[in-house]
PDB file of all heavy atoms in Angstrom:
ATOM      1  N   ALA A   1       0.829  -1.223   0.000  1.00 63.00           N
ATOM      2  CA  ALA A   1       0.000   0.000   0.000  1.00 63.00           C
ATOM      3  C   ALA A   1       0.850   1.255   0.000  1.00 63.00           C
ATOM      4  O   ALA A   1       0.559   2.240  -0.671  1.00 63.00           O
ATOM      5  CB  ALA A   1      -0.939  -0.010   1.211  1.00 63.00           C
ATOM      6  N   ALA A   2       1.941   1.211   0.766  1.00 65.00           N
ATOM      7  CA  ALA A   2       2.834   2.378   0.811  1.00 65.00           C
ATOM      8  C   ALA A   2       3.458   2.626  -0.543  1.00 65.00           C
ATOM      9  O   ALA A   2       3.614   3.780  -0.976  1.00 65.00           O
ATOM     10  CB  ALA A   2       3.915   2.153   1.883  1.00 65.00           C
ATOM     11  N   ARG A   3       3.825   1.545  -1.211  1.00 68.00           N
ATOM     12  CA  ARG A   3       4.426   1.717  -2.526  1.00 68.00           C
ATOM     13  C   ARG A   3       3.442   2.317  -3.524  1.00 68.00           C
ATOM     14  O   ARG A   3       3.787   3.177  -4.337  1.00 68.00           O
ATOM     15  CB  ARG A   3       4.924   0.358  -3.026  1.00 68.00           C
ATOM     16  CG  ARG A   3       5.701   0.453  -4.348  1.00 68.00           C
ATOM     17  CD  ARG A   3       6.301  -0.868  -4.697  1.00 68.00           C
ATOM     18  NE  ARG A   3       5.258  -1.892  -4.807  1.00 68.00           N
ATOM     19  CZ  ARG A   3       5.494  -3.195  -5.029  1.00 68.00           C
ATOM     20  NH1 ARG A   3       6.734  -3.638  -5.124  1.00 68.00           N
ATOM     21  NH2 ARG A   3       4.515  -4.062  -5.124  1.00 68.00           N
ATOM     22  N   GLU A   4       2.196   1.906  -3.476  1.00 70.00           N
ATOM     23  CA  GLU A   4       1.194   2.461  -4.391  1.00 70.00           C
ATOM     24  C   GLU A   4       0.965   3.948  -4.124  1.00 70.00           C
ATOM     25  O   GLU A   4       0.790   4.761  -5.037  1.00 70.00           O
ATOM     26  CB  GLU A   4      -0.131   1.698  -4.218  1.00 70.00           C
ATOM     27  CG  GLU A   4      -0.082   0.266  -4.727  1.00 70.00           C
ATOM     28  CD  GLU A   4       0.104   0.207  -6.239  1.00 70.00           C
ATOM     29  OE1 GLU A   4      -0.313   1.203  -6.934  1.00 70.00           O
ATOM     30  OE2 GLU A   4       0.638  -0.777  -6.719  1.00 70.00           O
ATOM     31  N   GLU A   5       1.004   4.380  -2.902  1.00 73.00           N
ATOM     32  CA  GLU A   5       0.818   5.786  -2.562  1.00 73.00           C
ATOM     33  C   GLU A   5       1.953   6.628  -3.099  1.00 73.00           C
ATOM     34  O   GLU A   5       1.756   7.724  -3.610  1.00 73.00           O
ATOM     35  CB  GLU A   5       0.713   5.925  -1.041  1.00 73.00           C
ATOM     36  CG  GLU A   5       0.415   7.368  -0.603  1.00 73.00           C
ATOM     37  CD  GLU A   5       0.258   7.458   0.896  1.00 73.00           C
ATOM     38  OE1 GLU A   5       0.280   6.411   1.572  1.00 73.00           O
ATOM     39  OE2 GLU A   5       0.084   8.611   1.377  1.00 73.00           O
ATOM     40  N   ARG A   6       3.195   6.095  -3.005  1.00 72.00           N
ATOM     41  CA  ARG A   6       4.326   6.853  -3.531  1.00 72.00           C
ATOM     42  C   ARG A   6       4.225   6.995  -5.043  1.00 72.00           C
ATOM     43  O   ARG A   6       4.527   8.051  -5.615  1.00 72.00           O
ATOM     44  CB  ARG A   6       5.639   6.139  -3.160  1.00 72.00           C
ATOM     45  CG  ARG A   6       5.994   6.286  -1.668  1.00 72.00           C
ATOM     46  CD  ARG A   6       7.455   5.893  -1.455  1.00 72.00           C
ATOM     47  NE  ARG A   6       7.703   4.510  -1.813  1.00 72.00           N
ATOM     48  CZ  ARG A   6       7.551   3.462  -0.976  1.00 72.00           C
ATOM     49  NH1 ARG A   6       7.172   3.655   0.268  1.00 72.00           N
ATOM     50  NH2 ARG A   6       7.797   2.231  -1.395  1.00 72.00           N
ATOM     51  N   LEU A   7       3.785   5.988  -5.708  1.00 70.00           N
ATOM     52  CA  LEU A   7       3.645   6.051  -7.170  1.00 70.00           C
ATOM     53  C   LEU A   7       2.583   7.086  -7.569  1.00 70.00           C
ATOM     54  O   LEU A   7       2.744   7.828  -8.555  1.00 70.00           O
ATOM     55  CB  LEU A   7       3.277   4.659  -7.716  1.00 70.00           C
ATOM     56  CG  LEU A   7       4.380   3.593  -7.639  1.00 70.00           C
ATOM     57  CD1 LEU A   7       3.851   2.240  -8.088  1.00 70.00           C
ATOM     58  CD2 LEU A   7       5.597   4.007  -8.481  1.00 70.00           C
ATOM     59  N   ALA A   8       1.471   7.165  -6.813  1.00 71.00           N
ATOM     60  CA  ALA A   8       0.410   8.128  -7.142  1.00 71.00           C
ATOM     61  C   ALA A   8       0.899   9.575  -6.992  1.00 71.00           C
ATOM     62  O   ALA A   8       0.619  10.436  -7.822  1.00 71.00           O
ATOM     63  CB  ALA A   8      -0.812   7.885  -6.243  1.00 71.00           C
ATOM     64  N   ARG A   9       1.688   9.857  -5.902  1.00 74.00           N
ATOM     65  CA  ARG A   9       2.219  11.199  -5.715  1.00 74.00           C
ATOM     66  C   ARG A   9       3.178  11.578  -6.824  1.00 74.00           C
ATOM     67  O   ARG A   9       3.220  12.718  -7.291  1.00 74.00           O
ATOM     68  CB  ARG A   9       2.910  11.302  -4.352  1.00 74.00           C
ATOM     69  CG  ARG A   9       1.912  11.351  -3.179  1.00 74.00           C
ATOM     70  CD  ARG A   9       2.596  11.888  -1.934  1.00 74.00           C
ATOM     71  NE  ARG A   9       3.687  11.020  -1.518  1.00 74.00           N
ATOM     72  CZ  ARG A   9       3.552  10.018  -0.645  1.00 74.00           C
ATOM     73  NH1 ARG A   9       2.392   9.774  -0.082  1.00 74.00           N
ATOM     74  NH2 ARG A   9       4.595   9.297  -0.314  1.00 74.00           N
ATOM     75  N   ARG A  10       3.945  10.605  -7.281  1.00 74.00           N
ATOM     76  CA  ARG A  10       4.900  10.866  -8.347  1.00 74.00           C
ATOM     77  C   ARG A  10       4.187  11.216  -9.649  1.00 74.00           C
ATOM     78  O   ARG A  10       4.588  12.135 -10.372  1.00 74.00           O
ATOM     79  CB  ARG A  10       5.803   9.632  -8.523  1.00 74.00           C
ATOM     80  CG  ARG A  10       6.965   9.847  -9.502  1.00 74.00           C
ATOM     81  CD  ARG A  10       7.808   8.614  -9.574  1.00 74.00           C
ATOM     82  NE  ARG A  10       8.302   8.270  -8.249  1.00 74.00           N
ATOM     83  CZ  ARG A  10       8.657   7.026  -7.875  1.00 74.00           C
ATOM     84  NH1 ARG A  10       8.526   6.033  -8.709  1.00 74.00           N
ATOM     85  NH2 ARG A  10       9.111   6.809  -6.665  1.00 74.00           N
ATOM     86  N   ARG A  11       3.100  10.484  -9.965  1.00 73.00           N
ATOM     87  CA  ARG A  11       2.354  10.791 -11.182  1.00 73.00           C
ATOM     88  C   ARG A  11       1.717  12.192 -11.111  1.00 73.00           C
ATOM     89  O   ARG A  11       1.688  12.928 -12.082  1.00 73.00           O
ATOM     90  CB  ARG A  11       1.251   9.732 -11.407  1.00 73.00           C
ATOM     91  CG  ARG A  11       1.810   8.389 -11.901  1.00 73.00           C
ATOM     92  CD  ARG A  11       0.678   7.520 -12.432  1.00 73.00           C
ATOM     93  NE  ARG A  11      -0.266   7.194 -11.362  1.00 73.00           N
ATOM     94  CZ  ARG A  11      -0.170   6.111 -10.590  1.00 73.00           C
ATOM     95  NH1 ARG A  11       0.830   5.245 -10.756  1.00 73.00           N
ATOM     96  NH2 ARG A  11      -1.066   5.876  -9.648  1.00 73.00           N
ATOM     97  N   LYS A  12       1.201  12.618  -9.951  1.00 75.00           N
ATOM     98  CA  LYS A  12       0.579  13.943  -9.782  1.00 75.00           C
ATOM     99  C   LYS A  12       1.588  15.045 -10.014  1.00 75.00           C
ATOM    100  O   LYS A  12       1.313  16.048 -10.674  1.00 75.00           O
ATOM    101  CB  LYS A  12      -0.019  14.034  -8.389  1.00 75.00           C
ATOM    102  CG  LYS A  12      -0.813  15.319  -8.140  1.00 75.00           C
ATOM    103  CD  LYS A  12      -1.460  15.273  -6.781  1.00 75.00           C
ATOM    104  CE  LYS A  12      -2.274  16.535  -6.537  1.00 75.00           C
ATOM    105  NZ  LYS A  12      -2.931  16.521  -5.207  1.00 75.00           N
ATOM    106  N   ARG A  13       2.820  14.897  -9.465  1.00 74.00           N
ATOM    107  CA  ARG A  13       3.861  15.900  -9.681  1.00 74.00           C
ATOM    108  C   ARG A  13       4.221  16.011 -11.140  1.00 74.00           C
ATOM    109  O   ARG A  13       4.463  17.076 -11.680  1.00 74.00           O
ATOM    110  CB  ARG A  13       5.103  15.546  -8.841  1.00 74.00           C
ATOM    111  CG  ARG A  13       4.961  15.870  -7.356  1.00 74.00           C
ATOM    112  CD  ARG A  13       6.347  15.894  -6.687  1.00 74.00           C
ATOM    113  NE  ARG A  13       7.051  14.639  -6.854  1.00 74.00           N
ATOM    114  CZ  ARG A  13       6.968  13.599  -6.004  1.00 74.00           C
ATOM    115  NH1 ARG A  13       6.210  13.694  -4.929  1.00 74.00           N
ATOM    116  NH2 ARG A  13       7.649  12.495  -6.239  1.00 74.00           N
ATOM    117  N   THR A  14       4.228  14.886 -11.816  1.00 77.00           N
ATOM    118  CA  THR A  14       4.572  14.884 -13.241  1.00 77.00           C
ATOM    119  C   THR A  14       3.546  15.682 -14.052  1.00 77.00           C
ATOM    120  O   THR A  14       3.885  16.466 -14.944  1.00 77.00           O
ATOM    121  CB  THR A  14       4.645  13.442 -13.760  1.00 77.00           C
ATOM    122  OG1 THR A  14       5.612  12.713 -12.983  1.00 77.00           O
ATOM    123  CG2 THR A  14       5.037  13.415 -15.227  1.00 77.00           C
ATOM    124  N   VAL A  15       2.228  15.525 -13.716  1.00 72.00           N
ATOM    125  CA  VAL A  15       1.177  16.272 -14.452  1.00 72.00           C
ATOM    126  C   VAL A  15       1.302  17.773 -14.212  1.00 72.00           C
ATOM    127  O   VAL A  15       1.200  18.588 -15.130  1.00 72.00           O
ATOM    128  CB  VAL A  15      -0.212  15.753 -14.023  1.00 72.00           C
ATOM    129  CG1 VAL A  15      -1.298  16.643 -14.615  1.00 72.00           C
ATOM    130  CG2 VAL A  15      -0.415  14.312 -14.480  1.00 72.00           C
ATOM    131  N   ILE A  16       1.567  18.182 -12.965  1.00 78.00           N
ATOM    132  CA  ILE A  16       1.689  19.603 -12.643  1.00 78.00           C
ATOM    133  C   ILE A  16       2.865  20.215 -13.365  1.00 78.00           C
ATOM    134  O   ILE A  16       2.791  21.323 -13.935  1.00 78.00           O
ATOM    135  CB  ILE A  16       1.825  19.782 -11.119  1.00 78.00           C
ATOM    136  CG1 ILE A  16       0.500  19.371 -10.429  1.00 78.00           C
ATOM    137  CG2 ILE A  16       2.170  21.231 -10.766  1.00 78.00           C
ATOM    138  CD1 ILE A  16       0.578  19.366  -8.924  1.00 78.00           C
ATOM    139  N   ILE A  17       3.987  19.513 -13.384  1.00 79.00           N
ATOM    140  CA  ILE A  17       5.177  20.040 -14.066  1.00 79.00           C
ATOM    141  C   ILE A  17       4.910  20.190 -15.556  1.00 79.00           C
ATOM    142  O   ILE A  17       5.318  21.179 -16.200  1.00 79.00           O
ATOM    143  CB  ILE A  17       6.383  19.104 -13.804  1.00 79.00           C
ATOM    144  CG1 ILE A  17       6.772  19.182 -12.315  1.00 79.00           C
ATOM    145  CG2 ILE A  17       7.573  19.478 -14.682  1.00 79.00           C
ATOM    146  CD1 ILE A  17       7.813  18.144 -11.905  1.00 79.00           C
ATOM    147  N   ALA A  18       4.158  19.247 -16.122  1.00 74.00           N
ATOM    148  CA  ALA A  18       3.850  19.327 -17.558  1.00 74.00           C
ATOM    149  C   ALA A  18       2.982  20.551 -17.870  1.00 74.00           C
ATOM    150  O   ALA A  18       3.196  21.275 -18.853  1.00 74.00           O
ATOM    151  CB  ALA A  18       3.152  18.041 -18.002  1.00 74.00           C
ATOM    152  N   ILE A  19       1.975  20.853 -16.987  1.00 79.00           N
ATOM    153  CA  ILE A  19       1.095  22.012 -17.213  1.00 79.00           C
ATOM    154  C   ILE A  19       1.887  23.302 -17.123  1.00 79.00           C
ATOM    155  O   ILE A  19       1.757  24.211 -17.952  1.00 79.00           O
ATOM    156  CB  ILE A  19      -0.052  21.998 -16.203  1.00 79.00           C
ATOM    157  CG1 ILE A  19      -0.997  20.813 -16.471  1.00 79.00           C
ATOM    158  CG2 ILE A  19      -0.851  23.313 -16.261  1.00 79.00           C
ATOM    159  CD1 ILE A  19      -2.078  20.613 -15.446  1.00 79.00           C
ATOM    160  N   ILE A  20       2.771  23.397 -16.126  1.00 80.00           N
ATOM    161  CA  ILE A  20       3.579  24.599 -15.974  1.00 80.00           C
ATOM    162  C   ILE A  20       4.474  24.808 -17.180  1.00 80.00           C
ATOM    163  O   ILE A  20       4.656  25.918 -17.688  1.00 80.00           O
ATOM    164  CB  ILE A  20       4.403  24.523 -14.674  1.00 80.00           C
ATOM    165  CG1 ILE A  20       3.454  24.568 -13.455  1.00 80.00           C
ATOM    166  CG2 ILE A  20       5.411  25.665 -14.583  1.00 80.00           C
ATOM    167  CD1 ILE A  20       4.151  24.339 -12.134  1.00 80.00           C
ATOM    168  N   ALA A  21       5.005  23.764 -17.676  1.00 74.00           N
ATOM    169  CA  ALA A  21       5.886  23.863 -18.847  1.00 74.00           C
ATOM    170  C   ALA A  21       5.128  24.360 -20.070  1.00 74.00           C
ATOM    171  O   ALA A  21       5.621  25.201 -20.846  1.00 74.00           O
ATOM    172  CB  ALA A  21       6.526  22.491 -19.121  1.00 74.00           C
ATOM    173  N   ILE A  22       3.870  23.886 -20.245  1.00 79.00           N
ATOM    174  CA  ILE A  22       3.077  24.317 -21.401  1.00 79.00           C
ATOM    175  C   ILE A  22       2.781  25.809 -21.308  1.00 79.00           C
ATOM    176  O   ILE A  22       2.877  26.561 -22.277  1.00 79.00           O
ATOM    177  CB  ILE A  22       1.784  23.501 -21.480  1.00 79.00           C
ATOM    178  CG1 ILE A  22       2.100  22.036 -21.828  1.00 79.00           C
ATOM    179  CG2 ILE A  22       0.835  24.093 -22.517  1.00 79.00           C
ATOM    180  CD1 ILE A  22       0.913  21.109 -21.750  1.00 79.00           C
ATOM    181  N   VAL A  23       2.381  26.286 -20.082  1.00 72.00           N
ATOM    182  CA  VAL A  23       2.087  27.701 -19.891  1.00 72.00           C
ATOM    183  C   VAL A  23       3.301  28.557 -20.191  1.00 72.00           C
ATOM    184  O   VAL A  23       3.228  29.598 -20.850  1.00 72.00           O
ATOM    185  CB  VAL A  23       1.564  27.949 -18.464  1.00 72.00           C
ATOM    186  CG1 VAL A  23       1.455  29.436 -18.174  1.00 72.00           C
ATOM    187  CG2 VAL A  23       0.212  27.267 -18.260  1.00 72.00           C
ATOM    188  N   LEU A  24       4.475  28.145 -19.721  1.00 75.00           N
ATOM    189  CA  LEU A  24       5.696  28.905 -19.981  1.00 75.00           C
ATOM    190  C   LEU A  24       6.005  28.978 -21.458  1.00 75.00           C
ATOM    191  O   LEU A  24       6.410  30.023 -21.991  1.00 75.00           O
ATOM    192  CB  LEU A  24       6.865  28.277 -19.216  1.00 75.00           C
ATOM    193  CG  LEU A  24       6.834  28.441 -17.685  1.00 75.00           C
ATOM    194  CD1 LEU A  24       7.983  27.673 -17.039  1.00 75.00           C
ATOM    195  CD2 LEU A  24       6.914  29.910 -17.322  1.00 75.00           C
ATOM    196  N   VAL A  25       5.790  27.888 -22.156  1.00 70.00           N
ATOM    197  CA  VAL A  25       6.072  27.861 -23.599  1.00 70.00           C
ATOM    198  C   VAL A  25       5.143  28.832 -24.337  1.00 70.00           C
ATOM    199  O   VAL A  25       5.567  29.594 -25.205  1.00 70.00           O
ATOM    200  CB  VAL A  25       5.934  26.436 -24.141  1.00 70.00           C
ATOM    201  CG1 VAL A  25       5.976  26.422 -25.661  1.00 70.00           C
ATOM    202  CG2 VAL A  25       7.048  25.551 -23.597  1.00 70.00           C
ATOM    203  N   LEU A  26       3.833  28.819 -23.964  1.00 73.00           N
ATOM    204  CA  LEU A  26       2.892  29.726 -24.624  1.00 73.00           C
ATOM    205  C   LEU A  26       3.225  31.186 -24.325  1.00 73.00           C
ATOM    206  O   LEU A  26       3.146  32.058 -25.209  1.00 73.00           O
ATOM    207  CB  LEU A  26       1.458  29.424 -24.169  1.00 73.00           C
ATOM    208  CG  LEU A  26       0.890  28.071 -24.613  1.00 73.00           C
ATOM    209  CD1 LEU A  26      -0.493  27.850 -24.024  1.00 73.00           C
ATOM    210  CD2 LEU A  26       0.829  27.996 -26.148  1.00 73.00           C
ATOM    211  N   GLY A  27       3.604  31.498 -23.092  1.00 69.00           N
ATOM    212  CA  GLY A  27       3.962  32.874 -22.755  1.00 69.00           C
ATOM    213  C   GLY A  27       5.180  33.358 -23.507  1.00 69.00           C
ATOM    214  O   GLY A  27       5.224  34.493 -24.001  1.00 69.00           O
ATOM    215  N   ILE A  28       6.175  32.500 -23.621  1.00 72.00           N
ATOM    216  CA  ILE A  28       7.389  32.895 -24.340  1.00 72.00           C
ATOM    217  C   ILE A  28       7.087  33.115 -25.808  1.00 72.00           C
ATOM    218  O   ILE A  28       7.561  34.068 -26.447  1.00 72.00           O
ATOM    219  CB  ILE A  28       8.475  31.829 -24.139  1.00 72.00           C
ATOM    220  CG1 ILE A  28       8.921  31.815 -22.664  1.00 72.00           C
ATOM    221  CG2 ILE A  28       9.671  32.096 -25.047  1.00 72.00           C
ATOM    222  CD1 ILE A  28       9.836  30.660 -22.315  1.00 72.00           C
ATOM    223  N   ALA A  29       6.217  32.261 -26.371  1.00 65.00           N
ATOM    224  CA  ALA A  29       5.863  32.411 -27.787  1.00 65.00           C
ATOM    225  C   ALA A  29       5.117  33.717 -28.029  1.00 65.00           C
ATOM    226  O   ALA A  29       5.386  34.441 -29.003  1.00 65.00           O
ATOM    227  CB  ALA A  29       5.010  31.211 -28.224  1.00 65.00           C
ATOM    228  N   GLY A  30       4.160  34.058 -27.142  1.00 63.00           N
ATOM    229  CA  GLY A  30       3.441  35.320 -27.304  1.00 63.00           C
ATOM    230  C   GLY A  30       4.347  36.522 -27.168  1.00 63.00           C
ATOM    231  O   GLY A  30       4.195  37.526 -27.878  1.00 63.00           O
ATOM    232  N   TYR A  31       5.300  36.465 -26.259  1.00 60.00           N
ATOM    233  CA  TYR A  31       6.227  37.592 -26.063  1.00 60.00           C
ATOM    234  C   TYR A  31       7.027  37.857 -27.321  1.00 60.00           C
ATOM    235  O   TYR A  31       7.121  38.992 -27.805  1.00 60.00           O
ATOM    236  CB  TYR A  31       7.135  37.285 -24.889  1.00 60.00           C
ATOM    237  CG  TYR A  31       8.250  38.279 -24.715  1.00 60.00           C
ATOM    238  CD1 TYR A  31       7.991  39.537 -24.158  1.00 60.00           C
ATOM    239  CD2 TYR A  31       9.541  37.983 -25.129  1.00 60.00           C
ATOM    240  CE1 TYR A  31       9.011  40.450 -24.018  1.00 60.00           C
ATOM    241  CE2 TYR A  31      10.565  38.905 -24.992  1.00 60.00           C
ATOM    242  CZ  TYR A  31      10.303  40.129 -24.427  1.00 60.00           C
ATOM    243  OH  TYR A  31      11.315  41.041 -24.286  1.00 60.00           O
ATOM    244  N   PHE A  32       7.592  36.780 -27.892  1.00 56.00           N
ATOM    245  CA  PHE A  32       8.404  36.976 -29.106  1.00 56.00           C
ATOM    246  C   PHE A  32       7.549  37.389 -30.300  1.00 56.00           C
ATOM    247  O   PHE A  32       8.003  38.104 -31.190  1.00 56.00           O
ATOM    248  CB  PHE A  32       9.193  35.695 -29.431  1.00 56.00           C
ATOM    249  CG  PHE A  32      10.395  35.516 -28.550  1.00 56.00           C
ATOM    250  CD1 PHE A  32      10.400  34.581 -27.532  1.00 56.00           C
ATOM    251  CD2 PHE A  32      11.513  36.310 -28.729  1.00 56.00           C
ATOM    252  CE1 PHE A  32      11.503  34.434 -26.724  1.00 56.00           C
ATOM    253  CE2 PHE A  32      12.621  36.161 -27.909  1.00 56.00           C
ATOM    254  CZ  PHE A  32      12.631  35.223 -26.907  1.00 56.00           C
ATOM    255  N   PHE A  33       6.240  36.997 -30.288  1.00 53.00           N
ATOM    256  CA  PHE A  33       5.353  37.381 -31.384  1.00 53.00           C
ATOM    257  C   PHE A  33       5.091  38.891 -31.371  1.00 53.00           C
ATOM    258  O   PHE A  33       5.154  39.566 -32.392  1.00 53.00           O
ATOM    259  CB  PHE A  33       4.036  36.607 -31.260  1.00 53.00           C
ATOM    260  CG  PHE A  33       3.032  36.962 -32.331  1.00 53.00           C
ATOM    261  CD1 PHE A  33       3.171  36.490 -33.625  1.00 53.00           C
ATOM    262  CD2 PHE A  33       1.962  37.786 -32.027  1.00 53.00           C
ATOM    263  CE1 PHE A  33       2.249  36.832 -34.595  1.00 53.00           C
ATOM    264  CE2 PHE A  33       1.056  38.132 -32.997  1.00 53.00           C
ATOM    265  CZ  PHE A  33       1.189  37.643 -34.283  1.00 53.00           C
ATOM    266  N   THR A  34       4.754  39.420 -30.164  1.00 52.00           N
ATOM    267  CA  THR A  34       4.515  40.861 -30.067  1.00 52.00           C
ATOM    268  C   THR A  34       5.773  41.661 -30.290  1.00 52.00           C
ATOM    269  O   THR A  34       5.756  42.755 -30.863  1.00 52.00           O
ATOM    270  CB  THR A  34       3.922  41.200 -28.691  1.00 52.00           C
ATOM    271  OG1 THR A  34       4.803  40.711 -27.668  1.00 52.00           O
ATOM    272  CG2 THR A  34       2.548  40.566 -28.510  1.00 52.00           C
ATOM    273  N   ARG A  35       6.865  41.216 -29.828  1.00 50.00           N
ATOM    274  CA  ARG A  35       8.123  41.924 -30.048  1.00 50.00           C
ATOM    275  C   ARG A  35       8.474  41.969 -31.518  1.00 50.00           C
ATOM    276  O   ARG A  35       9.091  42.902 -32.002  1.00 50.00           O
ATOM    277  CB  ARG A  35       9.259  41.237 -29.281  1.00 50.00           C
ATOM    278  CG  ARG A  35       9.180  41.411 -27.775  1.00 50.00           C
ATOM    279  CD  ARG A  35       9.428  42.830 -27.381  1.00 50.00           C
ATOM    280  NE  ARG A  35      10.768  43.254 -27.724  1.00 50.00           N
ATOM    281  CZ  ARG A  35      11.220  44.486 -27.619  1.00 50.00           C
ATOM    282  NH1 ARG A  35      10.398  45.429 -27.197  1.00 50.00           N
ATOM    283  NH2 ARG A  35      12.479  44.795 -27.941  1.00 50.00           N
ATOM    284  N   GLY A  36       8.000  40.969 -32.238  1.00 47.00           N
ATOM    285  CA  GLY A  36       8.285  40.956 -33.672  1.00 47.00           C
ATOM    286  C   GLY A  36       7.500  42.001 -34.417  1.00 47.00           C
ATOM    287  O   GLY A  36       7.932  42.514 -35.446  1.00 47.00           O
ATOM    288  N   GLU A  37       6.257  42.433 -33.894  1.00 46.00           N
ATOM    289  CA  GLU A  37       5.451  43.431 -34.573  1.00 46.00           C
ATOM    290  C   GLU A  37       5.914  44.846 -34.267  1.00 46.00           C
ATOM    291  O   GLU A  37       5.719  45.752 -35.060  1.00 46.00           O
ATOM    292  CB  GLU A  37       3.980  43.290 -34.151  1.00 46.00           C
ATOM    293  CG  GLU A  37       3.322  42.038 -34.731  1.00 46.00           C
ATOM    294  CD  GLU A  37       1.859  41.991 -34.358  1.00 46.00           C
ATOM    295  OE1 GLU A  37       1.460  42.788 -33.479  1.00 46.00           O
ATOM    296  OE2 GLU A  37       1.126  41.198 -34.938  1.00 46.00           O
ATOM    297  N   GLU A  38       6.479  45.069 -33.071  1.00 48.00           N
ATOM    298  CA  GLU A  38       6.864  46.414 -32.672  1.00 48.00           C
ATOM    299  C   GLU A  38       7.896  47.036 -33.600  1.00 48.00           C
ATOM    300  O   GLU A  38       7.789  48.196 -33.976  1.00 48.00           O
ATOM    301  CB  GLU A  38       7.378  46.411 -31.236  1.00 48.00           C
ATOM    302  CG  GLU A  38       6.248  46.224 -30.235  1.00 48.00           C
ATOM    303  CD  GLU A  38       6.765  46.281 -28.816  1.00 48.00           C
ATOM    304  OE1 GLU A  38       8.001  46.465 -28.657  1.00 48.00           O
ATOM    305  OE2 GLU A  38       5.967  46.146 -27.887  1.00 48.00           O
ATOM    306  N   PRO A  39       8.883  46.329 -34.002  1.00 47.00           N
ATOM    307  CA  PRO A  39       9.829  46.946 -34.950  1.00 47.00           C
ATOM    308  C   PRO A  39       9.155  47.384 -36.223  1.00 47.00           C
ATOM    309  O   PRO A  39       9.472  48.422 -36.781  1.00 47.00           O
ATOM    310  CB  PRO A  39      10.859  45.843 -35.174  1.00 47.00           C
ATOM    311  CG  PRO A  39      10.787  44.999 -33.944  1.00 47.00           C
ATOM    312  CD  PRO A  39       9.371  45.009 -33.535  1.00 47.00           C
TER     313      PRO A  39
END
């Protein structure tokens, strides 16, 4: 039972890290897009 609980926590951390990474990628893309129009 203890082993199954550790595996579940590990999977949850993996999902959160993936969501944060997607948000960062979208923000960086939007920043470079607007900077490209200003010139």
Side-chain angles (χ1 to χ4, degrees):
R3 186 173 58 184
E4 290 294 333
E5 184 177 355
R6 287 195 298 273
L7 290 175
R9 286 198 298 268
R10 187 178 302 155
R11 286 194 297 269
K12 186 175 181 180
R13 284 197 303 270
T14 303
V15 172
I16 293 174
I17 292 171
I19 292 174
I20 293 173
I22 292 172
V23 171
L24 290 175
V25 170
L26 293 176
I28 293 171
Y31 172 76
F32 283 105
F33 178 76
T34 56
R35 289 292 296 173
E37 289 184 348
E38 287 182 0

